[in-house]
Amino acid sequence: MAIRKIRIDGDPILRKRSRALESITDRERELFDDMIETMHDADGIGLAAPQVGILKRMIVIDIGEGPMKVANPVLRDYEGEEILYEGCLSIPKFSGAVKRPHALTVDYMDENGEEKTMHATGLLARVFCHETDHLDGILFKDVTLREDQIPEEVREQHERELQGE
């Protein structure tokens, strides 16, 4: 396993659409492992392959329940919505409020090439949306809300979190 360089906003690869995988080989399994190590080293909870310079539809997620390795994610059946602040390893020192679904269903291929489906809620659903956007060349700053669109209670909660409360 190896820590890879995270691409930063301005790098043109972050604006390109990633290619779907036909299968998972040892090369993709190694990339998944490298991505997890890179994400953990950077204190992230999600990372998409374009963020390490690879245009493949691969993401890794770890919201504290163990790492997930996901290829070719397809999001569907959105439920509800939440506005919360997000950050991104490719846009250091920037956060913004984003409206995302509270829950969704994800169809994907796991690290063994098996087709799977899962239901994701809360933070996990949000991370799936954020990382899948990366696969389509979308950065979260592209979908952040204007200040006047952010509910006061969301702004206040974000301020408390920044102050460590």
Side-chain angles (χ1 to χ4, degrees), residues 4 12 18 28 30 36 41 49 58 66 76-77 88 95 111-113 137 144 148 154 161-163:
R4 297 191 180 216
S18 297
E28 282 80 28
E30 181 179 340
I36 288 170
D41 182 68
M58 297 172 63
R76 61 181 171 85
D77 300 336
C88 181
S95 65
E111 68 181 301
N112 299 311
T144 55
D148 65 332
V154 173
E161 289 169 2
L162 290 175
Q163 295 171 5

Side-chain angles (χ1 to χ4, degrees), residues 18-24 32 56-59 70-75 106-110 115-116 132 135:
S18 297
R19 297 179 308 277
L21 285 93
E22 305 265 331
S23 63
I24 303 290
F32 272 136
K56 293 183 179 181
R57 294 190 78 78
M58 297 172 63
I59 63 175
V70 175
N72 301 338
V74 175
L75 311 182
V106 184
D107 298 318
Y108 66 99
M109 188 184 338
D110 72 8
E115 298 294 331
K116 304 265 180 139
T132 302
L135 302 179

Side-chain angles (χ1 to χ4, degrees), residues 153-165:
E153 63 272 12
V154 173
R155 280 198 300 268
E156 290 172 357
Q157 176 64 31
H158 181 64
E159 286 299 319
R160 286 193 296 274
E161 289 169 2
L162 290 175
Q163 295 171 5
E165 294 178 18

